[in-house]
Amino acid sequence: MRSKPSSKSALVEALNLRKYYPVYGGLFKRIKGFVRAVDGVNLAIREGESLVLVGESGSGKTTLGMLLAKLIQPTSGRIIFKGVDVTEKIPRSLRRKIRVVFQDPYASLNPRIKILDQVIEPLLSEGVDRGEAEERGYKVLESVRLDSDLASKYPHELSGGQRQRAVIARALITEPDFLVLDEPTSMLDVSIQAQILNLLKKLKTEYSLTYLFITHNLAVARYIGDRIAVMYLGRIVEMAPKRVLFSNPLHPYTKALLSAYPPPDPEKGWEPEVPEDMATNPANPPKGCRFHPRCPLAFEDCRVRAPETLEVEREHYVECLLYR
Amino acid sequence: MAVVEVKNLSVVYYTPKGLARALDNVSLKIERRGEILGLVGESGSGKSTLGYAIAGLLPENAEIVSGEILVNGVNVIDAGVDSRPRISVIFQDALTALNPVLTVGEQIAEIFMYVHGMERREAYEETRRVLREVGLPEGFTNRYPHELSGGQRQRAVIAMSLALRPALIIADEPTTALDVTVQAVILKLLHRVVKDNDLTMLYITHDLSLVAHMCDKVAVMYAGEIVEYSDVRSLFRDPKHPYTIALLKAIPRIDADVEELEPIEGSPPSLINPPKGCRFHPRCPYAMEKCRVAKPGAIQVGHGRWARCFLYEE
C-alpha cells in the first residue's frame, strides 16, 4: 500500500516490506519454495492513531505485526521508526519504545515469577534499582486497574482478564510509544473483552500511545480502530478510516468479509456473500490479483495483472482493477 | 411430547480443588421437531456440560447427581444403547470427529449399513446423496479427511449427522475454529439442512450474534444455571435478566458505531464456591438485599419466556 513518504506524523513506516519463509521438502530437506507471509506492504502508522489490521488466518497479519515490532527480520524492505531506519538494527533507546501484547496472556507470563517481578523485569534489566522499579511497577499496575494485592501473586492465581492486564502493565513499564497488540482479547470472554478494550482505549490517551491492533474480528476493529487495513495473502488490499471502510467498502474481499459477520440483531438480515472456501496457499499465491480465483467480479485482466494501489477517495486505498 | 426435556438436572465435577457444581438444577425443553435452541454463555457457564450430559458424553470425573433427561420421552441417563434415541454431536474440531484412515464416503456409508441396515450399494447411493446435500460433490466420496479444508471437513461431519437421522443434533461451537467467511457458509448450510430435514438442534455458542440468526429459541446460561429463556426476537428486543442485558451492552457491534462498551465488572464466579443467593448478584447493578440470600425461581416474563430474577417477582 502506498503511503505518503516519510510524512512528519508517521511514527512507524513500512516500505515495500517482505517476509518470506522457506519451505523445506524432499529427501535432503532442500528449500522447495517460499511462503510469502508478507509480500510488499507499504504502510504508515501515524502518531496517536489506532490502526487495525484485519484478515483471516494465513493473511500475514501476525507476521506483519512481528516485523513492525522488530521481533523478526524482514526478507526485504525497510522499517522506519520515529524517523530512524531500524531495519537492520534498532538502538536500545528505541527498542524499549516498541512493545508487544500477544493473544494468550498465560503463555506470555512466566508461571514461576510473581506478577510485580515480571512487570518490572524490563526495568531491572536496564539497571534501574529495585526500589524505584517497584514504585513504577505499582503505578503501572494501578493504571491497568490491577489491585496492588495481586502484585505478589503468581499468574495461575489470576483470572484471564487480570493476566492480560498484567501483560499490558509489563508492556507499559518502559513507557513505549508504539504497541503491537496481536488479538489481545480473542481468548477472553465477552464480558471481560469489553473491560480490556475499554482499558486499552483509556491507556492510549493516558500514555500517548500508537497502536497496531491485529484482529480477525471486524466488530472489535470497528470499536477500537481509527483506520482499518484489510490483509489478504500477504498484501494490504484495502485501507481507509473506519467510518469510510464500514460505509463504503470497495474491495470485493472486504465486502465479503463484512457480509460474513452477522449483526447481533435477529431483525436485521444476514445474507453472507462469501467466495468459495478455497485452500489459499501463501506459498503459491495466484498470479495477477491474489483474490481473483475467489472473486465474484473477476475479469480477464485480474488473472494476469497485479493491481496497484489506488487512492480512490481521500485516504481510501484499494488494490483492485475494478477501480482503475 | 417435547423432543428434549431436561428436568432439574444437576451435574458436578470432581476436581483436585474440590467439587465444582457445573449445572445446578437446570430445566429446559425443546418443544417441537425442527426447532433450533441456542445455548449461550461464557466459559464456565455450563453450556457444554449440559450438551454433553444430554449426549451421554460427560467425562469420567463428572457425575449427574439428580434430574432427568428425556429425549423423545426416553430417559437417556439410564437407557440402554438399544433404546436410546440417536443423538449426533458436531464438535468444534471436525478432524477429531472423522476417522483419518477411512475415506469420507466409507465412514458415512458405515452409518447407512450398520445403523440403518442397508445393503452396500444402497448405502453408497445414500452417501452420495447426503454429500451432495451438504455441497460436497461426487469427487469427495473417495477423499480422506486430511485432504479436505476445514470447511469441507465440517461439511462432511454435517453429512454424517444427516446420515444418522438423529432425534437431536448437538452442535458445540461448530465453527469456532473456522475463518469468518467459512463460518458464514457452514452455518447457513447447517441451518438449511436442519430446517429442510425437520431435524432438531441444540446449538451451543458463546456468540450472541450467531444465536440471533441461527436459533428460534435461546437459553442464556450463567455459572451453571439458565438465567433466561426466550424466543430469539424477544430476547434481543427486550432482554429481561440483568446478565442478558449487560451481555448485549458489552459486545462490540459490526452494525453500529459504539461510543463506549459497558463491560460487566468482575469475573464469573468459581463453581467450587459459588455465591449464595443469585449467582449473578455480585456483578449485578440491580442487586437487592434479597438477591444475596435467596435463589430466584423461574419467573414468567412474557409469552413463553422466563427469567430467574427477583426484579420480576409480583
mmCIF file of all heavy atoms in Angstrom, chain A residues 186-219:
data_model
loop_
_atom_site.group_PDB
_atom_site.id
_atom_site.type_symbol
_atom_site.label_atom_id
_atom_site.label_comp_id
_atom_site.label_asym_id
_atom_site.label_seq_id
_atom_site.Cartn_x
_atom_site.Cartn_y
_atom_site.Cartn_z
ATOM 1 N N SER A 186 -8.933 -12.022 22.090
ATOM 2 C CA SER A 186 -9.716 -13.086 21.456
ATOM 3 C C SER A 186 -9.800 -14.358 22.296
ATOM 4 O O SER A 186 -10.595 -15.237 21.994
ATOM 5 C CB SER A 186 -9.225 -13.383 20.046
ATOM 6 O OG SER A 186 -7.856 -13.580 20.056
ATOM 7 N N MET A 187 -8.988 -14.455 23.365
ATOM 8 C CA MET A 187 -9.158 -15.624 24.231
ATOM 9 C C MET A 187 -10.052 -15.319 25.431
ATOM 10 O O MET A 187 -10.278 -16.180 26.262
ATOM 11 C CB MET A 187 -7.808 -16.118 24.731
ATOM 12 C CG MET A 187 -7.104 -16.943 23.672
ATOM 13 S SD MET A 187 -5.582 -17.679 24.223
ATOM 14 C CE MET A 187 -6.091 -18.632 25.617
ATOM 15 N N LEU A 188 -10.527 -14.094 25.500
ATOM 16 C CA LEU A 188 -11.284 -13.694 26.689
ATOM 17 C C LEU A 188 -12.787 -13.773 26.425
ATOM 18 O O LEU A 188 -13.245 -13.613 25.300
ATOM 19 C CB LEU A 188 -10.909 -12.258 27.069
ATOM 20 C CG LEU A 188 -9.420 -12.008 27.325
ATOM 21 C CD1 LEU A 188 -9.169 -10.522 27.544
ATOM 22 C CD2 LEU A 188 -8.922 -12.811 28.509
ATOM 23 N N ASP A 189 -13.537 -13.987 27.495
ATOM 24 C CA ASP A 189 -14.989 -13.971 27.372
ATOM 25 C C ASP A 189 -15.472 -12.560 27.075
ATOM 26 O O ASP A 189 -14.805 -11.587 27.408
ATOM 27 C CB ASP A 189 -15.615 -14.470 28.680
ATOM 28 C CG ASP A 189 -15.727 -15.978 28.684
ATOM 29 O OD1 ASP A 189 -16.095 -16.540 27.639
ATOM 30 O OD2 ASP A 189 -15.464 -16.583 29.723
ATOM 31 N N VAL A 190 -16.673 -12.469 26.477
ATOM 32 C CA VAL A 190 -17.131 -11.156 26.029
ATOM 33 C C VAL A 190 -17.230 -10.128 27.150
ATOM 34 O O VAL A 190 -16.926 -8.958 26.938
ATOM 35 C CB VAL A 190 -18.477 -11.211 25.266
ATOM 36 C CG1 VAL A 190 -18.258 -11.716 23.867
ATOM 37 C CG2 VAL A 190 -19.508 -12.024 25.983
ATOM 38 N N SER A 191 -17.656 -10.559 28.332
ATOM 39 C CA SER A 191 -17.794 -9.562 29.399
ATOM 40 C C SER A 191 -16.419 -9.019 29.797
ATOM 41 O O SER A 191 -16.274 -7.866 30.185
ATOM 42 C CB SER A 191 -18.518 -10.152 30.607
ATOM 43 O OG SER A 191 -17.726 -11.094 31.281
ATOM 44 N N ILE A 192 -15.389 -9.852 29.685
ATOM 45 C CA ILE A 192 -14.024 -9.430 30.030
ATOM 46 C C ILE A 192 -13.395 -8.688 28.846
ATOM 47 O O ILE A 192 -12.655 -7.721 29.015
ATOM 48 C CB ILE A 192 -13.153 -10.662 30.391
ATOM 49 C CG1 ILE A 192 -13.861 -11.535 31.432
ATOM 50 C CG2 ILE A 192 -11.780 -10.238 30.882
ATOM 51 C CD1 ILE A 192 -14.145 -10.870 32.740
ATOM 52 N N GLN A 193 -13.717 -9.129 27.647
ATOM 53 C CA GLN A 193 -13.200 -8.472 26.442
ATOM 54 C C GLN A 193 -13.525 -6.979 26.464
ATOM 55 O O GLN A 193 -12.673 -6.136 26.171
ATOM 56 C CB GLN A 193 -13.818 -9.105 25.198
ATOM 57 C CG GLN A 193 -13.602 -8.284 23.935
ATOM 58 C CD GLN A 193 -14.129 -8.981 22.690
ATOM 59 O OE1 GLN A 193 -13.469 -9.829 22.122
ATOM 60 N NE2 GLN A 193 -15.322 -8.631 22.280
ATOM 61 N N ALA A 194 -14.762 -6.642 26.841
ATOM 62 C CA ALA A 194 -15.162 -5.240 26.877
ATOM 63 C C ALA A 194 -14.324 -4.457 27.890
ATOM 64 O O ALA A 194 -13.938 -3.314 27.641
ATOM 65 C CB ALA A 194 -16.652 -5.128 27.209
ATOM 66 N N GLN A 195 -14.010 -5.098 29.031
ATOM 67 C CA GLN A 195 -13.158 -4.418 30.032
ATOM 68 C C GLN A 195 -11.794 -4.083 29.444
ATOM 69 O O GLN A 195 -11.288 -2.971 29.601
ATOM 70 C CB GLN A 195 -12.932 -5.324 31.259
ATOM 71 C CG GLN A 195 -14.167 -5.619 32.087
ATOM 72 C CD GLN A 195 -13.866 -6.636 33.198
ATOM 73 O OE1 GLN A 195 -12.728 -7.011 33.432
ATOM 74 N NE2 GLN A 195 -14.910 -7.103 33.873
ATOM 75 N N ILE A 196 -11.198 -5.064 28.755
ATOM 76 C CA ILE A 196 -9.838 -4.866 28.235
ATOM 77 C C ILE A 196 -9.849 -3.853 27.081
ATOM 78 O O ILE A 196 -8.964 -3.004 26.977
ATOM 79 C CB ILE A 196 -9.222 -6.216 27.784
ATOM 80 C CG1 ILE A 196 -9.129 -7.183 28.967
ATOM 81 C CG2 ILE A 196 -7.852 -6.011 27.150
ATOM 82 C CD1 ILE A 196 -8.177 -6.777 30.067
ATOM 83 N N LEU A 197 -10.862 -3.921 26.218
ATOM 84 C CA LEU A 197 -10.931 -2.954 25.112
ATOM 85 C C LEU A 197 -11.056 -1.528 25.650
ATOM 86 O O LEU A 197 -10.389 -0.610 25.171
ATOM 87 C CB LEU A 197 -12.110 -3.279 24.187
ATOM 88 C CG LEU A 197 -11.958 -4.534 23.316
ATOM 89 C CD1 LEU A 197 -13.246 -4.792 22.538
ATOM 90 C CD2 LEU A 197 -10.774 -4.435 22.372
ATOM 91 N N ASN A 198 -11.901 -1.362 26.661
ATOM 92 C CA ASN A 198 -12.048 -0.024 27.241
ATOM 93 C C ASN A 198 -10.764 0.442 27.919
ATOM 94 O O ASN A 198 -10.386 1.607 27.820
ATOM 95 C CB ASN A 198 -13.213 -0.003 28.236
ATOM 96 C CG ASN A 198 -14.558 0.054 27.528
ATOM 97 O OD1 ASN A 198 -14.618 0.133 26.297
ATOM 98 N ND2 ASN A 198 -15.635 -0.002 28.284
ATOM 99 N N LEU A 199 -10.097 -0.510 28.573
ATOM 100 C CA LEU A 199 -8.821 -0.181 29.217
ATOM 101 C C LEU A 199 -7.810 0.287 28.167
ATOM 102 O O LEU A 199 -7.116 1.299 28.356
ATOM 103 C CB LEU A 199 -8.288 -1.409 29.964
ATOM 104 C CG LEU A 199 -6.892 -1.256 30.570
ATOM 105 C CD1 LEU A 199 -6.931 -0.299 31.759
ATOM 106 C CD2 LEU A 199 -6.324 -2.601 31.005
ATOM 107 N N LEU A 200 -7.740 -0.433 27.051
ATOM 108 C CA LEU A 200 -6.782 -0.073 26.003
ATOM 109 C C LEU A 200 -7.086 1.312 25.429
ATOM 110 O O LEU A 200 -6.180 2.088 25.129
ATOM 111 C CB LEU A 200 -6.778 -1.130 24.891
ATOM 112 C CG LEU A 200 -6.117 -2.465 25.256
ATOM 113 C CD1 LEU A 200 -6.386 -3.514 24.198
ATOM 114 C CD2 LEU A 200 -4.603 -2.282 25.473
ATOM 115 N N LYS A 201 -8.374 1.617 25.290
ATOM 116 C CA LYS A 201 -8.746 2.953 24.808
ATOM 117 C C LYS A 201 -8.268 4.034 25.768
ATOM 118 O O LYS A 201 -7.751 5.067 25.362
ATOM 119 C CB LYS A 201 -10.275 3.043 24.669
ATOM 120 C CG LYS A 201 -10.806 2.510 23.353
ATOM 121 C CD LYS A 201 -12.230 2.999 23.138
ATOM 122 C CE LYS A 201 -12.621 2.896 21.677
ATOM 123 N NZ LYS A 201 -13.902 3.535 21.385
ATOM 124 N N LYS A 202 -8.461 3.773 27.055
ATOM 125 C CA LYS A 202 -8.101 4.754 28.068
ATOM 126 C C LYS A 202 -6.576 4.936 28.122
ATOM 127 O O LYS A 202 -6.074 6.060 28.174
ATOM 128 C CB LYS A 202 -8.632 4.268 29.425
ATOM 129 C CG LYS A 202 -8.385 5.203 30.584
ATOM 130 C CD LYS A 202 -8.835 4.588 31.898
ATOM 131 C CE LYS A 202 -7.919 3.480 32.354
ATOM 132 N NZ LYS A 202 -7.053 3.757 33.484
ATOM 133 N N LEU A 203 -5.853 3.806 28.070
ATOM 134 C CA LEU A 203 -4.390 3.874 28.169
ATOM 135 C C LEU A 203 -3.780 4.610 26.980
ATOM 136 O O LEU A 203 -2.757 5.268 27.107
ATOM 137 C CB LEU A 203 -3.806 2.457 28.241
ATOM 138 C CG LEU A 203 -4.124 1.680 29.516
ATOM 139 C CD1 LEU A 203 -3.663 0.234 29.384
ATOM 140 C CD2 LEU A 203 -3.475 2.341 30.732
ATOM 141 N N LYS A 204 -4.422 4.486 25.830
ATOM 142 C CA LYS A 204 -3.892 5.117 24.625
ATOM 143 C C LYS A 204 -3.787 6.622 24.828
ATOM 144 O O LYS A 204 -2.795 7.247 24.461
ATOM 145 C CB LYS A 204 -4.811 4.792 23.444
ATOM 146 C CG LYS A 204 -4.318 5.314 22.124
ATOM 147 C CD LYS A 204 -5.018 4.589 20.995
ATOM 148 C CE LYS A 204 -5.038 5.410 19.744
ATOM 149 N NZ LYS A 204 -6.019 6.484 19.741
ATOM 150 N N THR A 205 -4.800 7.214 25.446
ATOM 151 C CA THR A 205 -4.764 8.644 25.721
ATOM 152 C C THR A 205 -3.793 8.940 26.861
ATOM 153 O O THR A 205 -2.946 9.823 26.749
ATOM 154 C CB THR A 205 -6.173 9.131 26.134
ATOM 155 O OG1 THR A 205 -7.131 8.396 25.375
ATOM 156 C CG2 THR A 205 -6.344 10.599 25.896
ATOM 157 N N GLU A 206 -3.918 8.181 27.946
ATOM 158 C CA GLU A 206 -3.107 8.430 29.137
ATOM 159 C C GLU A 206 -1.618 8.370 28.857
ATOM 160 O O GLU A 206 -0.840 9.146 29.386
ATOM 161 C CB GLU A 206 -3.435 7.371 30.188
ATOM 162 C CG GLU A 206 -4.228 7.883 31.356
ATOM 163 C CD GLU A 206 -4.564 6.751 32.302
ATOM 164 O OE1 GLU A 206 -3.659 6.028 32.777
ATOM 165 O OE2 GLU A 206 -5.766 6.576 32.535
ATOM 166 N N TYR A 207 -1.219 7.402 28.058
ATOM 167 C CA TYR A 207 0.207 7.182 27.792
ATOM 168 C C TYR A 207 0.626 7.677 26.408
ATOM 169 O O TYR A 207 1.714 7.367 25.965
ATOM 170 C CB TYR A 207 0.548 5.691 27.926
ATOM 171 C CG TYR A 207 0.656 5.206 29.354
ATOM 172 C CD1 TYR A 207 -0.484 4.971 30.125
ATOM 173 C CD2 TYR A 207 1.904 4.973 29.941
ATOM 174 C CE1 TYR A 207 -0.387 4.523 31.430
ATOM 175 C CE2 TYR A 207 2.016 4.521 31.241
ATOM 176 C CZ TYR A 207 0.864 4.299 31.988
ATOM 177 O OH TYR A 207 0.970 3.843 33.272
ATOM 178 N N SER A 208 -0.247 8.410 25.705
ATOM 179 C CA SER A 208 0.023 8.888 24.336
ATOM 180 C C SER A 208 0.587 7.778 23.455
ATOM 181 O O SER A 208 1.702 7.876 22.939
ATOM 182 C CB SER A 208 1.025 10.047 24.324
ATOM 183 O OG SER A 208 0.717 10.958 25.313
ATOM 184 N N LEU A 209 -0.175 6.695 23.327
ATOM 185 C CA LEU A 209 0.314 5.532 22.595
ATOM 186 C C LEU A 209 -0.190 5.524 21.162
ATOM 187 O O LEU A 209 -1.181 6.171 20.825
ATOM 188 C CB LEU A 209 -0.172 4.250 23.291
ATOM 189 C CG LEU A 209 0.361 4.021 24.699
ATOM 190 C CD1 LEU A 209 -0.468 2.943 25.401
ATOM 191 C CD2 LEU A 209 1.820 3.618 24.651
ATOM 192 N N THR A 210 0.512 4.764 20.341
ATOM 193 C CA THR A 210 0.072 4.468 18.981
ATOM 194 C C THR A 210 -0.096 2.956 18.913
ATOM 195 O O THR A 210 0.753 2.222 19.419
ATOM 196 C CB THR A 210 1.142 4.933 17.972
ATOM 197 O OG1 THR A 210 1.331 6.336 18.148
ATOM 198 C CG2 THR A 210 0.709 4.636 16.547
ATOM 199 N N TYR A 211 -1.209 2.511 18.339
ATOM 200 C CA TYR A 211 -1.476 1.066 18.326
ATOM 201 C C TYR A 211 -1.451 0.494 16.913
ATOM 202 O O TYR A 211 -2.001 1.080 15.983
ATOM 203 C CB TYR A 211 -2.884 0.773 18.869
ATOM 204 C CG TYR A 211 -3.077 0.946 20.358
ATOM 205 C CD1 TYR A 211 -4.376 1.015 20.883
ATOM 206 C CD2 TYR A 211 -2.012 0.997 21.247
ATOM 207 C CE1 TYR A 211 -4.593 1.150 22.249
ATOM 208 C CE2 TYR A 211 -2.222 1.139 22.612
ATOM 209 C CZ TYR A 211 -3.510 1.220 23.106
ATOM 210 O OH TYR A 211 -3.729 1.352 24.453
ATOM 211 N N LEU A 212 -0.857 -0.690 16.800
ATOM 212 C CA LEU A 212 -1.179 -1.567 15.681
ATOM 213 C C LEU A 212 -1.964 -2.704 16.312
ATOM 214 O O LEU A 212 -1.417 -3.496 17.080
ATOM 215 C CB LEU A 212 0.070 -2.104 14.981
ATOM 216 C CG LEU A 212 -0.249 -3.077 13.838
ATOM 217 C CD1 LEU A 212 -0.878 -2.355 12.658
ATOM 218 C CD2 LEU A 212 0.999 -3.825 13.368
ATOM 219 N N PHE A 213 -3.258 -2.750 16.036
ATOM 220 C CA PHE A 213 -4.139 -3.716 16.688
ATOM 221 C C PHE A 213 -4.513 -4.780 15.658
ATOM 222 O O PHE A 213 -5.125 -4.481 14.632
ATOM 223 C CB PHE A 213 -5.392 -2.983 17.186
ATOM 224 C CG PHE A 213 -6.248 -3.782 18.133
ATOM 225 C CD1 PHE A 213 -6.238 -3.520 19.493
ATOM 226 C CD2 PHE A 213 -7.070 -4.811 17.666
ATOM 227 C CE1 PHE A 213 -7.034 -4.246 20.374
ATOM 228 C CE2 PHE A 213 -7.857 -5.535 18.541
ATOM 229 C CZ PHE A 213 -7.838 -5.262 19.900
ATOM 230 N N ILE A 214 -4.115 -6.013 15.925
ATOM 231 C CA ILE A 214 -4.356 -7.096 14.967
ATOM 232 C C ILE A 214 -5.540 -7.920 15.433
ATOM 233 O O ILE A 214 -5.590 -8.353 16.586
ATOM 234 C CB ILE A 214 -3.095 -7.982 14.853
ATOM 235 C CG1 ILE A 214 -1.914 -7.133 14.381
ATOM 236 C CG2 ILE A 214 -3.347 -9.156 13.925
ATOM 237 C CD1 ILE A 214 -0.575 -7.821 14.507
ATOM 238 N N THR A 215 -6.508 -8.131 14.558
ATOM 239 C CA THR A 215 -7.667 -8.927 14.961
ATOM 240 C C THR A 215 -8.323 -9.568 13.747
ATOM 241 O O THR A 215 -8.172 -9.109 12.622
ATOM 242 C CB THR A 215 -8.712 -8.074 15.716
ATOM 243 O OG1 THR A 215 -9.811 -8.912 16.088
ATOM 244 C CG2 THR A 215 -9.248 -6.938 14.866
ATOM 245 N N HIS A 216 -9.043 -10.659 13.993
ATOM 246 C CA HIS A 216 -9.843 -11.248 12.922
ATOM 247 C C HIS A 216 -11.293 -10.802 13.083
ATOM 248 O O HIS A 216 -12.135 -11.116 12.260
ATOM 249 C CB HIS A 216 -9.768 -12.780 12.997
ATOM 250 C CG HIS A 216 -10.465 -13.325 14.200
ATOM 251 N ND1 HIS A 216 -9.913 -13.285 15.456
ATOM 252 C CD2 HIS A 216 -11.685 -13.861 14.345
ATOM 253 C CE1 HIS A 216 -10.775 -13.789 16.319
ATOM 254 N NE2 HIS A 216 -11.855 -14.142 15.692
ATOM 255 N N ASN A 217 -11.576 -10.072 14.151
ATOM 256 C CA ASN A 217 -12.946 -9.731 14.497
ATOM 257 C C ASN A 217 -13.261 -8.294 14.075
ATOM 258 O O ASN A 217 -12.787 -7.334 14.659
ATOM 259 C CB ASN A 217 -13.108 -9.903 16.011
ATOM 260 C CG ASN A 217 -14.537 -9.701 16.451
ATOM 261 O OD1 ASN A 217 -15.284 -8.917 15.864
ATOM 262 N ND2 ASN A 217 -14.933 -10.405 17.490
ATOM 263 N N LEU A 218 -14.081 -8.154 13.035
ATOM 264 C CA LEU A 218 -14.366 -6.821 12.499
ATOM 265 C C LEU A 218 -15.176 -5.954 13.449
ATOM 266 O O LEU A 218 -15.092 -4.728 13.393
ATOM 267 C CB LEU A 218 -15.113 -6.956 11.166
ATOM 268 C CG LEU A 218 -14.201 -7.211 9.962
ATOM 269 C CD1 LEU A 218 -15.001 -7.740 8.793
ATOM 270 C CD2 LEU A 218 -13.494 -5.929 9.561
ATOM 271 N N ALA A 219 -15.952 -6.579 14.326
ATOM 272 C CA ALA A 219 -16.710 -5.794 15.293
ATOM 273 C C ALA A 219 -15.747 -5.152 16.293
ATOM 274 O O ALA A 219 -15.911 -3.982 16.664
ATOM 275 C CB ALA A 219 -17.744 -6.673 16.006
#
